Amino acid sequence: MAVLPFRFLRSARRVAATASLRLMVFCALALWAAWSPLGQAGGMNDFRDSQVIHSYEEMAVRTVLEHGQLPLWTPWTCGGLYALGSPQTRFAAPPFLFSLLLGARRAEPVLLFLFLVLGMEGFFRYARLRTGSVLGAFVTAPLFALNGLFAMSWLQGWINFFGFLLLPWCLLGTALVCRRRPVGLVLLAGAFAVMLGFGGTYPVPMTALFVALEAVSGLLLPRTWPQRLRVAGWLGAAALFTLGTSAFRLWPLLETMRSAPRIMAGQPGTSPGHLATMLLGSPGRWEGYFFLAPPVLLLVAASLFSRRARYPWLAAGLSAWLAAGYHFRLSLFEALRALPFFDTLRYPERFALFLAFFLAVLGAAGLGVLWARARRSSLAAWGVVGLCGAALGGTVMARQGFEAIVQRTGVVPEPVRVEQPFAQARGNRWALGYFVALNRGSIACGEAYPVPMSAKLRGDLPQEEYLEDPSAGQVQRRAWSPNRLELAVHATRPVHLRVNQNWHPGWKSSVGEVVSREGLLGVSLPAGEHAVTLRFLPRSGLGGALVSLLAWGGLGVLAVWHRRRRPLAAWQVGALAAGPLVVWALLGVAWREPAAPPVLTNPNGTPLLVDALPPEASSARADFGVPVELHGALVPPRPDANGLLSFELFWKVTGRVPRAVGVFVHVVDEHGRMINVDHEVLGGTFFFKDAPRGPLLRDAFTISAPRLPPGTWRVLVGLWNMREDGSRITALTPGGSPIPDGRVLAGTFTVPPLP
């Protein structure tokens, strides 16, 4: 073997195998990638999504530093909401400490740097375990961390997506659990808890899929059934510990999902060609958005000769299939959305991140193949050098694309704070950062789920706390903070106190009873002089924190016993893992709190469920070849002042409906021109398959009239198989006669000529 490549490779491998040297390299690469964002520290990203998501962190910092409270409730957005139960908040994780120390905006680029280092180190450890190649894992780790998705996350303010960089730690923890190593329990439970606390609405469920795949792979490693049963026991304990350590965030999120259900509609698909462009960039243009630098394909090709590459190839194939969404007739993504919690996923192309991850693992395996032969073959040694050079070139290319994206971030000066008493305002969800600086709440809501908001919220009240009957007395604010209100009330007779914020069952009052007054936070008070103190003490937040503390205590006991080389029996590990969940169940039974009923509304705010056809709607009766009836429709005669046409269809489900059934809406003019307004989810909440039976279902949707030519238009509706063969479902009149083409006339409207 040639001396030159051998010395180079031996030096590179020594750096990779030495933790301190390796981390120095990873820190240097992360600093290189985060250099421009660090230079933007302190400025405000004016992108609309960033305005919403960042403001949650700003509110949490303000709650802790100025009021000395946990950021459980935030009054500054949507009229007040449960911050710990909001999917997009990220303060319930250790990175929040940096926001407290540096300020929320200055902390964000620091978090980018730290997560990039974490991602590279986690990838190195997982890829080394999977492939056995120290050098291969070292040179491909930056290719995963410098993924274009993380640059786009910085550009759009989706800091929550940095949680995807904890993916390798979750997989590493699972692999170690399968080897019955206690450290795996800590890694898996800790990574998931941090990911969930950091706002992991996408990272957590998507990562959970591949953790399950890793667990199945680990179960197949032992050769005997008794060994597999022991591994299964460890995996069960890992699942229980993970649930327990995540309870502080999981319980509030489950509570929110129950009170504000939302299903994402549509059938997005990604063709193989588009997926390849998204993954590797456009040929000849490497300065933009892509998931993986193309030179890694050279390393991937070498992995074809490695037996260790079989699992990463399988995982990469499943990732590509999921990322294709509905493009193929046989859709794995469609099957995934049939599972609980996964029906909220609407961007299958984000699975391309996992495809890029496993391709990078394959790259590490490919370099490992040549490394194993390098001692015997000079050609193989030079091949390893070449592949290392390809990985280095890919890293430079990835950083170039990363930099091109982050440079497009629109940064404006941080708004000047105005110190004044808190009050609600009409607001603007795309400029929420300015409202927080003004200590004003924005009634305009930009959340990703239907926040239960009171229709009685106002942005023009002279006083935020008032009596329903003004003649019954007076209210004076003594002290205000997000989680605590102190009021002096003089009531000449029994009265209801109202606070201009949304009601939540977690609010408690020192006097009287907390009630919902048309969705507003209210207190039923007797006559007299009262010092009323309102506190926000949600069962799910406080109880979940207790469960998580117990789970971490159990992991601590397990770690101490393992360190003393005193292995615990299987039943002891099971007790430590299951104990916190038993406490969780007992808290749910013993700690009573009124449930927040789900508020089922359409995007336009109208109720989703109605008992009878509204008088303004016209009858349009039809029965279909599935147990669904159309009872009526509301079609406006012309566009409104904003050029919008708002339609409503009234359906009734009488039996079990197949999952593939959806609504087609054809808007046709007298010349035969047509536009489609097809959809599969009613009001953004129910598939026909899951819709309640009995009440009418108001299905509201809107189109923009300016894109329609002037004239008279008919609205024809029906049902069809949105998957399967795409055929229309037979429509019948109430008398049983077939309706031509399965299309029911819902109404007509006229688009006037342009002035």
Side-chain angles (χ1 to χ4, degrees):
M1 173 175 156
V3 175
L4 180 61
F6 175 73
R7 288 181 175 176
F8 167 77
L9 295 176
R10 187 170 59 181
S11 299
R13 193 179 185 281
R14 186 180 299 115
V15 171
T18 306
S20 58
L21 296 177
R22 181 178 69 248
L23 286 173
M24 287 176 61
V25 173
F26 288 163
C27 286
L29 290 172
L31 183 62
W32 188 30
W35 190 257
S36 291
L38 286 168
Q40 299 167 348
M44 183 172 71
N45 186 342
D46 65 351
F47 185 70
R48 58 181 185 272
D49 286 357
S50 178
Q51 288 284 313
V52 175
I53 298 170
H54 169 83
S55 294
Y56 286 132
E57 191 80 352
E58 197 76 40
M59 299 167 195
V61 170
R62 193 165 185 165
T63 301
V64 173
L65 296 184
E66 297 181 15
H67 302 285
Q69 298 174 349
L70 295 175
L72 299 175
W73 179 264
T74 173
W76 288 282
T77 183
C78 302
L81 56 77
Y82 185 12
L84 197 58
S86 176
Q88 298 188 111
T89 57
R90 57 180 172 87
F91 59 79
F96 183 57
L97 296 175
F98 289 92
S99 295
L100 293 177
L101 292 172
L102 305 175
R105 289 194 171 88
R106 292 188 178 277
E108 286 183 347
V110 177
L111 294 181
L112 173 62
F113 166 79
L114 293 175
F115 270 97
L116 289 176
V117 175
L118 274 175
M120 283 186 269
E121 179 64 14
F123 180 92
F124 169 82
R125 291 172 181 262
Y126 174 74
R128 179 182 60 182
L129 183 68
R130 263 289 168 193
T131 67
S133 174
V134 174
L135 184 60
F138 177 65
V139 300
T140 53
L143 297 175
F144 161 66
L146 297 181
N147 193 299
L149 178 65
F150 304 126
M152 288 297 295
S153 299
W154 174 261
L155 172 69
Q156 297 174 337
W158 283 93
I159 307 301
N160 322 56
F161 275 25
F162 294 169
F164 275 118
L165 286 161
L166 299 179
L167 163 66
W169 292 101
C170 293
L171 298 180
L172 176 64
T174 307
L176 294 177
V177 168
C178 292
R179 290 159 173 80
R180 293 183 287 168
R181 294 174 58 182
V183 67
L185 297 172
V186 177
L187 285 178
L188 180 60
F192 260 119
V194 173
M195 192 184 291
L196 192 62
F198 199 67
T201 51
Y202 275 93
V204 168
M206 295 170 76
T207 298
L209 288 177
F210 292 91
V211 164
L213 186 64
E214 185 76 33
V216 171
S217 172
L219 276 173
L220 299 177
L221 285 177
R223 295 184 177 182
T224 65
W225 280 106
Q227 291 176 324
R228 289 177 181 173
L229 288 175
R230 283 194 288 271
V231 172
W234 274 76
L235 288 171
L240 295 178
F241 273 125
T242 301
L243 287 174
T245 56
S246 301
F248 72 99
R249 177 75 159 148
L250 189 59
W251 194 352
L253 286 174
L254 292 175
E255 182 182 274
T256 296
M257 292 174 65
R258 185 178 67 250
S259 64
R262 179 65 74 192
I263 295 175
M264 301 306 180
Q267 296 187 3
T270 308
S271 67
H274 186 201
L275 181 59
T277 300
M278 179 187 303
L279 188 71
L280 302 170
S282 302
R285 291 188 61 190
W286 313 121
E287 72 279 7
Y289 175 43
F290 54 90
F291 279 62
L292 200 62
V296 75
L297 297 180
L298 296 174
L299 289 82
V300 172
S303 71
L304 293 171
F305 303 99
S306 172
R307 287 184 298 177
R308 290 177 175 265
R310 286 178 293 187
Y311 171 77
W313 273 114
L314 172 64
L318 291 175
S319 302
W321 192 6
L322 285 166
Y326 289 86
H327 179 78
F328 298 109
R329 193 170 193 81
L330 184 60
S331 171
L332 185 59
F333 184 72
E334 181 184 19
L336 175 66
R337 289 188 66 184
L339 299 176
F341 306 112
F342 289 95
D343 52 7
T344 59
L345 298 181
R346 58 174 170 171
Y347 296 114
E349 66 273 11
R350 286 174 181 164
F351 279 103
L353 170 74
F354 295 83
L355 174 57
F357 175 83
F358 286 107
L359 286 177
V361 174
L362 286 170
L367 196 145
V369 170
L370 288 182
W371 173 261
R373 302 177 184 179
R375 291 183 179 276
R376 302 189 303 271
S377 167
S378 176
L379 182 61
W382 282 109
V384 174
V385 173
L387 290 184
C388 288
L392 179 60
T395 299
V396 174
M397 187 180 297
R399 193 269 172 182
Q400 181 182 352
F402 200 98
E403 176 70 10
I405 294 171
V406 300
Q407 284 283 5
R408 289 157 39 194
T409 307
V411 179
V412 297
E414 188 172 10
V416 178
R417 286 189 53 172
V418 176
E419 301 299 336
Q420 58 182 335
F422 171 82
Q424 299 286 1
R426 291 188 180 275
N428 183 333
R429 59 182 176 172
W430 302 138
L432 191 55
Y434 295 98
F435 284 81
V436 176
L438 294 170
N439 202 23
R440 288 291 179 262
S442 172
I443 296 177
C445 190
E447 252 297 351
Y449 70 97
V451 178
M453 293 178 60
S454 171
K456 297 298 182 179
L457 287 166
R458 290 177 57 182
D460 58 351
L461 290 174
Q463 187 171 320
E464 294 294 288
E465 302 85 21
Y466 58 94
L467 298 181
E468 271 187 18
D469 182 358
S471 66
Q474 296 177 338
V475 181
Q476 183 180 3
R477 179 190 290 181
R478 293 288 178 83
W480 182 95
S481 61
N483 298 328
R484 180 186 174 100
L485 299 175
E486 296 181 16
L487 308 170
V489 179
H490 168 69
T492 59
R493 55 183 178 271
V495 71
H496 283 102
L497 166 69
R498 286 194 179 193
V499 179
N500 193 32
Q501 295 185 40
N502 294 317
W503 170 83
H504 188 278
W507 282 101
K508 308 293 185 289
S509 177
S510 62
V511 181
E513 179 186 2
V514 174
V515 292
S516 172
R517 302 299 293 176
E518 299 181 277
L520 286 179
L521 174 60
V523 183
S524 177
L525 294 172
E529 301 287 338
H530 306 293
V532 179
T533 301
L534 283 164
R535 294 182 178 89
F536 187 63
L537 302 170
R539 177 186 63 169
S540 58
L542 302 180
L546 175 61
V547 173
S548 293
L549 286 174
L550 292 174
W552 280 112
L555 284 172
V557 170
L558 189 62
V560 170
W561 277 76
H562 178 72
R563 189 177 184 86
R564 293 178 179 177
R565 301 187 182 277
R566 297 178 184 176
L568 294 173
W571 70 267
Q572 293 174 310
V573 176
L576 288 173
L581 300 189
V582 173
V583 173
W584 190 347
L586 293 175
L587 285 173
V589 173
W591 190 342
R592 295 293 182 180
E593 186 176 85
V599 180
L600 304 177
T601 60
N602 283 284
N604 64 356
T606 57
L608 182 63
L609 305 181
V610 293
D611 295 325
L613 198 65
E616 65 271 17
S618 60
S619 177
R621 286 298 307 272
D623 298 325
F624 293 87
V626 294
V628 175
E629 302 170 356
L630 177 65
H631 280 244
L634 181 60
V635 177
R638 63 188 60 83
D640 64 15
N642 297 315
L644 300 177
L645 289 156
S646 297
F647 305 114
E648 294 181 1
L649 303 174
F650 295 87
W651 305 93
K652 187 174 186 178
V653 177
T654 59
R656 185 174 181 179
V657 184
R659 165 68 176 79
V661 173
V663 180
F664 70 79
V665 180
H666 296 166
V667 183
V668 186
D669 74 352
E670 58 261 37
H671 303 292
R673 291 174 292 196
M674 183 179 75
I675 64 170
N676 293 329
V677 197
D678 302 346
H679 51 279
E680 59 179 333
V681 178
L682 305 179
T685 303
F686 290 120
F687 295 106
F688 276 115
K689 174 180 178 294
D690 305 314
R693 302 171 189 177
L696 293 180
L697 305 169
R698 185 201 305 256
D699 178 22
F701 53 94
T702 302
I703 64 173
S704 177
R707 63 182 178 134
L708 301 178
T712 301
W713 294 76
R714 295 180 299 154
V715 181
L716 303 169
V717 303
L719 302 181
W720 68 307
N721 292 301
M722 299 193 72
R723 297 293 295 164
E724 300 178 2
D725 58 358
S727 61
R728 295 180 187 174
I729 295 172
T730 304
L732 305 172
T733 65
S737 302
I739 297 176
D741 296 328
R743 302 195 302 181
V744 182
L745 179 64
T748 62
F749 64 89
T750 301
V751 176
L754 292 175

